[in-house]
Amino acid sequence: MASSFLCKARKLSSSPFSSQFLKYFRFAPSATITTTANNAENYFTEQNNNTIRRDTQVSSYKFGSRRRTASIGKTPHSLVHKANTVDSYSAVELALNSVVKIFTVSCSPNYLLPWQNKSQRESMGSGFVIPGKKILTNAHVIADHSFVLVRKHGSPTKYRAEVKAVGHECDLAILVVESEEFWDGMNSLELGDIPFIQEAVAVVGYPQGGDNISVTKGVVSRVEPTQYVHGASQLMAIQIDAAINPGNSGGPAIMGNKVAGVAFQNLSGAENIGYIIPVPVIKHFISGVEDNGKYVGFCSLGLSCQTTENIQLQNHFNMQPDMTGVLVSKINPLSGANKILKKDDIILSFDGVPIANDGTVPFRNRERITFDHLVSMKQPNEKAIVRVLRDGKEHELSVILQPLQPLVPVHQFDKLPSYYIFAGLVFVPLTQPYLHEYGEDWYNASPRRLCERALRELPKKENQQLVILSQVLMDDINAGYERLAELQVLKVNGTEVENLHHLCQLVENCSTDSLRFDLDDDRVIALNYEMAKVATSRILKRHRIPSSKSIDLNDAQSNLQVGLACSS
């Protein structure tokens, strides 16, 4: 298997999926990314023979995993807390006036027919009050929402809630309720610290099987970066042995009289293995929203790194016996590290914290955690000091960190898909939700070339998209081109396509009689421009499609026209 936590797609295609899966409790689309970057191979991640994949047909997400033994050594007696330190009665008392049940009506888009939505669905989750008259819950509880209601314990009334901020990468969201009646008697919960191994927590929420509040006790068994299945990210998570069932999502895990985390997913096929989002991730999300008025994301160095545990590899790069670090193998061209770091650099430390040859850094008492955690806890535009070994010499470099987006988006929640139709040719940007429409086994069922590019390619410039011809709505004007669907559009009349908006401009500003599209695999589409414009209206009417372009393209064109009018 590939090092640096990147999976080689060719090996995945011949490897059977595991029989155990990680899931969370709602059926919105999702994905995963590599641990060291929002980058190339950003959906399938294979780590220690673990495989993550998505199920588009059922209301769960699946995570194949082989159980691993925690290797933290002996913990000093002073840090060991007995499981019975959490009083379930006190947890209930805290929760009665803080935890709410959330009712969500959602409607996901249809990426194969991007002008349509799928059928409306209803789901339920949990949430709890935090200071400032806000409710914290999971992003997957309200993803693609069209209507959200909340109900407090002991009340028959449901109150309308609005989504103030949502961070799909960290699977967190903030709701606000305008009704003053709702807040009467409600108390906020205070955030605590990361629990130690063997500390006890109580998970409070509204799991399936009943309508009243439920409290489940459990013990912390592991703290480490984990795949956040909903948000396509690798962030710190706490593993506990408390049952986390559908409906628990968004509920607090209480330790003593404070919140230790937010319940969000569990390991299906295993008994009582659940995961909660720890307080540092929660605080990072909340502080970003408070400082910027919206979700700002989690930073990334934009690197793919390889471990340096092999002694011959260390000697090749002139690493001294007392040196440890990881090898830079790939850099995202849009990252702040692109002009600072180089391929084959050895990263020795991050902000003064030495990095081991396996990519981990010290964490608390005889525990270790991947250095990506240090990166992800940085705020956007914050500087980091990176010490590297380059050509046998040590250098101390400063890197400005930013959240990074992959070339092919891994999720598209809470927004409508983009599309453009001309002469029955349906053009869309390539996204992983589009590939998910090929079904549960989308990795093998979707077009191989598109799948490989979705997993591997890096962006070369800002706002770049891979535009594809998704389908051909048949008409006399496009007869014979139907077999060219699912190919990438490379050029329009000789001009390279940067994104879907650019393609739309090239088509609508065509000044020649003939319009030519150059596609992948050296295929060509040629149309008479005036005849194609007439055919477009005919085809839209026949298929009952309200517009030839998505709302975002119409808005972009309107803004461009306004800008041109102002400049003139």
Side-chain angles (χ1 to χ4, degrees):
M1 300 300 171
S3 56
S4 74
F5 314 120
L6 291 177
C7 159
K8 299 299 181 184
R10 63 178 181 273
K11 293 189 178 181
L12 279 174
S13 63
S14 61
S15 301
F17 290 117
S18 171
S19 60
Q20 292 184 335
F21 303 96
L22 187 72
K23 66 179 181 179
Y24 72 86
F25 306 109
R26 196 178 174 279
F27 25 75
S30 183
T32 52
I33 62 176
T34 61
T35 61
T36 51
N38 282 333
N39 56 28
E41 303 177 45
N42 51 15
Y43 193 88
F44 272 82
T45 302
E46 192 165 273
Q47 177 176 343
N48 297 331
N49 294 330
N50 293 347
T51 305
I52 298 180
R53 71 186 179 99
R54 176 191 182 280
D55 186 341
T56 60
Q57 302 300 318
V58 298
S59 58
S60 66
Y61 285 75
K62 303 182 178 180
F63 175 62
S65 177
R66 182 175 65 187
R67 295 189 63 180
R68 293 167 283 172
T69 303
S71 55
I72 61 170
K74 290 188 176 181
T75 304
H77 180 71
S78 61
L79 297 178
V80 176
H81 299 259
K82 294 184 179 180
N84 61 10
T85 56
V86 170
D87 185 345
S88 60
Y89 291 102
S90 65
V92 171
E93 289 299 320
L94 281 172
L96 289 181
N97 296 322
S98 301
V99 180
V100 299
K101 189 170 187 177
I102 300 174
F103 303 83
T104 303
V105 177
S106 60
C107 194
S108 300
N110 184 337
Y111 284 88
L112 294 182
L113 301 173
W115 51 88
Q116 295 182 359
N117 280 335
K118 295 179 180 178
S119 59
Q120 181 174 281
R121 300 168 303 188
E122 298 179 1
S123 59
M124 292 174 288
S126 305
F128 62 95
V129 177
I130 59 176
K133 288 189 175 181
K134 302 170 186 173
I135 298 172
L136 188 67
T137 186
N138 283 145
H140 73 254
V141 171
I142 52 86
D144 291 325
H145 66 280
S146 56
F147 200 74
V148 181
L149 297 171
V150 298
R151 189 186 70 194
K152 55 185 181 180
H153 176 71
S155 172
T157 306
K158 298 175 183 177
Y159 298 87
R160 177 71 183 273
E162 298 292 339
V163 178
K164 179 182 179 181
V166 56
H168 292 290
E169 285 78 16
C170 59
D171 202 357
L172 291 171
I174 294 176
L175 310 181
V176 292
V177 178
E178 296 295 333
S179 172
E180 290 298 328
E181 180 185 339
F182 169 82
W183 294 107
D184 185 29
M186 296 296 286
N187 298 323
S188 61
L189 294 179
E190 184 180 351
L191 299 178
D193 298 314
I194 302 175
F196 285 90
I197 305 300
Q198 289 300 300
E199 272 196 302
V201 297
V203 177
V204 186
Y206 292 87
Q208 67 179 10
D211 197 42
N212 285 327
I213 203 166
S214 169
V215 180
T216 307
K217 293 173 63 176
V219 173
V220 174
S221 55
R222 183 179 293 154
V223 180
E224 64 181 3
T226 301
Q227 295 294 331
Y228 280 43
V229 183
H230 171 76
S233 59
Q234 179 101 357
L235 297 171
M236 178 188 285
I238 301 170
Q239 181 180 312
I240 60 175
D241 66 356
I244 296 178
N245 296 308
N248 266 130
S249 290
I254 298 176
M255 182 178 64
N257 61 351
K258 295 184 179 180
V259 174
V262 177
F264 75 118
Q265 62 191 28
N266 83 346
L267 189 62
S268 180
E271 294 184 3
N272 297 341
I273 296 181
Y275 295 88
I276 62 177
I277 301 171
V279 169
V281 176
I282 299 172
K283 288 183 175 179
H284 187 284
F285 167 71
I286 294 176
S287 64
V289 172
E290 291 177 348
D291 294 342
N292 300 276
K294 61 180 181 179
Y295 171 67
V296 294
F298 287 76
C299 290
S300 169
L301 275 172
L303 305 177
S304 172
C305 294
Q306 178 181 334
T307 62
T308 59
E309 296 169 287
N310 184 278
I311 187 65
Q312 282 78 27
L313 187 66
Q314 297 172 23
N315 293 336
H316 178 77
F317 289 100
N318 300 316
M319 294 178 66
Q320 300 300 316
D322 60 340
M323 287 182 178
T324 60
V326 290
L327 174 66
V328 176
S329 55
K330 187 183 296 184
I331 305 176
N332 189 319
L334 301 185
S335 71
N338 183 46
K339 296 181 179 179
I340 307 297
L341 301 180
K342 296 181 178 179
K343 179 178 169 59
D344 290 347
D345 280 349
I346 303 292
I347 302 180
L348 304 175
S349 67
F350 182 87
D351 273 350
V353 180
I355 301 173
N357 291 331
D358 63 351
T360 62
V361 295
F363 175 66
R364 299 195 311 186
N365 175 63
R366 300 182 66 181
E367 297 176 74
R368 299 194 67 84
I369 194 169
T370 60
F371 87 95
D372 302 315
H373 171 66
L374 303 180
V375 179
S376 64
M377 289 297 101
K378 290 282 192 177
Q379 292 291 346
N381 297 317
E382 191 173 353
K383 287 185 178 180
I385 303 301
V386 180
R387 192 166 186 82
V388 303
L389 178 67
R390 179 182 298 168
D391 299 327
K393 297 180 180 180
E394 293 187 46
H395 302 270
E396 196 168 86
L397 307 172
S398 176
V399 179
I400 297 177
L401 300 177
Q402 292 285 353
L404 294 175
Q405 299 300 324
L407 174 60
V408 178
V410 293
H411 60 72
Q412 294 270 277
F413 297 113
D414 305 323
K415 62 183 296 186
L416 297 174
S418 299
Y419 71 89
Y420 176 61
I421 302 174
F422 185 77
L425 309 177
V426 183
F427 302 102
V428 300
L430 178 62
T431 63
Q432 290 194 18
Y434 171 83
L435 296 177
H436 300 163
E437 298 286 2
Y438 285 87
E440 178 180 349
D441 192 24
W442 67 268
Y443 178 74
N444 292 313
S446 61
R448 173 58 46 201
R449 191 171 300 182
L450 296 182
C451 189
E452 289 293 319
R453 288 177 179 171
L455 298 177
R456 296 180 180 278
E457 285 200 21
L458 293 172
K460 297 180 177 62
K461 59 180 73 175
E462 292 283 353
N463 301 319
Q464 183 183 356
Q465 292 176 326
L466 298 184
V467 180
I468 62 172
L469 173 61
S470 66
Q471 61 177 305
V472 178
L473 305 176
M474 289 303 300
D475 186 80
D476 291 338
I477 194 73
N478 55 43
Y481 292 148
E482 62 273 10
R483 295 184 181 180
L484 301 183
E486 301 175 342
L487 291 177
Q488 182 183 348
V489 184
L490 303 177
K491 296 180 181 179
V492 175
N493 280 350
T495 302
E496 290 190 7
V497 174
E498 297 178 0
N499 50 49
L500 184 61
H501 180 242
H502 185 220
L503 179 143
C504 179
Q505 287 183 314
L506 292 174
V507 171
E508 298 194 349
N509 295 333
C510 178
S511 59
T512 59
D513 292 337
S514 181
L515 179 66
R516 170 174 172 153
F517 297 93
D518 285 275
L519 309 181
D520 203 3
D521 203 23
D522 297 320
R523 304 299 180 179
V524 176
I525 290 177
L527 298 168
N528 179 282
Y529 186 60
E530 293 301 326
M531 292 176 62
K533 285 199 298 183
V534 174
T536 299
S537 300
R538 179 174 69 243
I539 295 169
L540 293 176
K541 183 177 180 179
R542 181 186 305 150
H543 290 270
R544 301 183 182 91
I545 301 174
S547 175
S548 64
K549 61 182 73 171
S550 54
I551 294 175
D552 59 316
L553 294 183
N554 275 318
D555 291 343
Q557 186 175 13
S558 298
N559 293 336
L560 179 62
Q561 291 173 347
V562 170
L564 292 174
C566 292
S567 63
S568 61

